Amino acid sequence: RKEVEQDPGPFNVPEGATVAFNCTYSNSASQSFFWYRQDCRKEPKLLMSVYSSGNEDGRFTAQLNRASQYISLLIRDSKLSDSATYLCVVNGLNNNAGNMLTFGGGTRLMVKP
Amino acid sequence: GAGVSQSPSNKVTEKGKDVELRCDPISGHTALYWYRQRLGQGLEFLIYFQGNSAPDKSGLPSDRFSAERTGESVSTLTIQRTQQEDSAVYLCASSNRGLANEQFFGPGTRLTVL
């Protein structure tokens, strides 16, 4: 089993749609969780951290379910500019638990007009 | 402020040659990471430096790969006797030590081995 697992997609959605991505992680001791965004042929950039209580940033909502070891990202009112690959990221999955982040393979989103 | 920079941005080399890739992290960031990303694939962890601690080399795919870091500054990733399967984008990231652990990525070096 992969340490951080995501559905690779692609998710093809029309503008204005709501889309949700899930991610599962293997280590129950993981402490920090993030969603990164990677545009085509660009480097990944932090989209948002994921907090235990869930958090929202504009059209984006992140949720953490520790019991089931999954993280979700919800995007409301999708825009064309949301088209990208979304990477689920978890820390503490190797011997250097403090600062190591492990990236999922990413979920590709394509928003169509 | 300045972000993470990498050089060269593109490198084309012949099979069997050695290449050296450079990363300049954000000033003051104690942690530095190298990743490899093949076309259409996810990020593959290679090596991690944290301050003066011994680096975590667990992701290096073979002994042809090595990396150095001078203190908490520049890092170089060296690939010896390059193979065609080494073709990928090599990404460097840096972060502050701390719970937030956000990694800031450089633009990457696109390596093509002919």
Side-chain angles (χ1 to χ4, degrees):
Chain A
R1 181 185 173 187
K2 288 183 181 177
E3 294 171 340
V4 180
E5 204 145 5
Q6 296 181 250
D7 180 343
F11 283 58
N12 295 297
V13 303
E15 264 188 297
T18 295
V19 61
F21 309 135
N22 285 333
C23 162
T24 57
Y25 60 95
S26 61
N27 189 338
S28 59
S30 298
Q31 294 295 318
S32 303
F33 310 90
F34 310 89
W35 284 101
Y36 276 66
R37 170 189 169 135
Q38 186 173 25
D39 292 292
C40 188
R41 300 176 78 86
K42 297 285 190 181
E43 71 273 21
K45 292 184 179 178
L46 179 67
L47 176 66
M48 60 196 301
S49 300
V50 185
Y51 303 123
S52 297
S53 55
N55 48 299
E56 188 174 307
D57 182 1
R59 297 180 294 109
F60 298 83
T61 301
Q63 297 271 343
L64 168 64
N65 184 321
R66 286 189 185 271
S68 302
Q69 293 177 213
Y70 81 78
I71 307 146
S72 65
L73 177 68
L74 182 78
I75 306 176
R76 290 181 298 279
D77 188 23
S78 301
K79 312 290 184 191
L80 296 177
S81 57
D82 294 335
S83 297
T85 297
Y86 291 83
L87 304 169
C88 174
V89 186
V90 177
N91 95 322
L93 292 181
N94 79 341
N95 290 334
N96 296 316
N99 281 352
M100 273 301 302
L101 298 184
T102 300
F103 286 74
T107 298
R108 190 171 171 210
L109 172 66
M110 298 178 68
V111 182
K112 301 292 178 64
Chain B
V4 178
S5 61
Q6 292 186 245
S7 61
S9 54
N10 280 283
K11 176 72 177 177
V12 180
T13 190
E14 293 178 348
K15 179 181 172 181
K17 301 280 190 183
D18 297 352
V19 295
E20 192 171 277
L21 312 180
R22 177 186 168 110
C23 172
D24 283 88
I26 292 172
S27 178
H29 279 191
T30 58
L32 186 147
Y33 313 78
W34 283 99
Y35 297 90
R36 177 170 70 180
Q37 189 172 34
R38 294 194 167 107
L39 188 64
Q41 303 295 311
L43 274 73
E44 179 185 0
F45 164 73
L46 296 177
I47 188 168
Y48 158 57
F49 295 90
Q50 173 60 58
N52 294 318
S53 302
D56 180 342
K57 303 180 182 181
S58 59
L60 295 178
S62 77
D63 59 9
R64 297 188 296 105
F65 288 72
S66 62
E68 302 277 338
R69 188 181 185 194
T70 306
E72 294 185 350
S73 60
V74 172
S75 176
T76 55
L77 176 69
T78 301
I79 309 173
Q80 295 177 309
R81 305 181 302 281
T82 52
Q83 304 294 313
Q84 288 183 330
E85 63 262 28
D86 298 336
S87 296
V89 175
Y90 289 82
L91 290 159
C92 173
S94 70
S95 72
N96 266 322
R97 187 179 185 89
L99 289 176
N101 286 343
E102 177 183 356
Q103 292 189 12
F104 296 84
F105 283 83
T109 294
R110 185 172 300 277
L111 175 66
T112 303
V113 182
L114 302 176

